[in-house]
Amino acid sequence: MIQITIPTPDVSITKQSNPQLSHIYGFTDFHLITRELGGIYMFYNEQDELLFVGKARKLRPRIKKHFEDTVSPIKNHRDEVTRIDVCVVEDATEREIYETYIINSLHARYNVDKVFYK
């Protein structure tokens, strides 16, 4: 049996209730997320339920894109996201394994690809 441990987040940003600064859906701390490194990201709601898991070669632009484009799997659920956890994982194969494992072990609500449970 293969043993996989979900990595501890390197960065965690939280939605602000009344942001004073420029924000995207209440998030003001995107600058804390690396722009150049790859990894995995997880979106949570206020009950700490996992909503979505994704991976990216460049984390910050990919995460921000989920809140801006019209084809994101969470486009209708952006207001539900209250926390974003980010884990830097440089190896593409490891990112793929972590993403698939987290989707299936924690039952990410809005992931539709790579789902082995029903």
Side-chain angles (χ1 to χ4, degrees):
M1 177 187 225
I2 299 172
Q3 191 68 28
I4 299 173
T5 304
I6 299 171
T8 304
D10 295 296
V11 175
S12 187
I13 64 172
T14 308
K15 184 179 203 170
Q16 306 295 313
S17 55
N18 291 314
Q20 301 298 314
L21 303 172
S22 175
H23 66 92
I24 300 172
Y25 285 87
F27 291 96
T28 59
D29 294 329
F30 281 109
H31 66 281
L32 299 175
I33 300 169
T34 179
R35 181 186 307 243
E36 298 301 322
L37 299 177
I40 56 172
Y41 51 90
M42 296 162 276
F43 297 151
Y44 292 90
N45 65 13
E46 58 187 21
Q47 290 83 32
D48 278 338
E49 296 172 313
L50 184 60
L51 300 176
F52 187 80
V53 180
K55 65 181 182 319
R57 285 182 293 138
K58 295 187 177 189
L59 284 162
R60 188 188 319 168
R62 182 65 187 111
I63 293 169
K64 286 177 86 172
K65 195 169 181 89
H66 277 291
F67 293 94
E68 297 167 346
D69 70 10
T70 58
V71 295
S72 171
I74 66 157
K75 70 180 176 196
N76 297 324
H77 310 286
R78 292 174 176 144
D79 288 328
E80 287 181 56
V81 179
T82 59
R83 188 179 89 227
I84 302 170
D85 286 351
V86 177
C87 305
V88 174
V89 180
E90 276 298 294
D91 184 73
T93 304
E94 289 180 22
R95 285 195 299 264
E96 186 72 37
I97 291 168
Y98 281 132
E99 181 192 34
T100 304
Y101 178 76
I102 293 168
I103 288 169
N104 288 285
S105 63
L106 300 181
H107 301 270
R109 184 182 298 177
Y110 300 124
N111 283 90
V112 291
D113 295 334
K114 303 178 186 175
V115 174
F116 301 132
Y117 64 90
K118 292 291 177 196

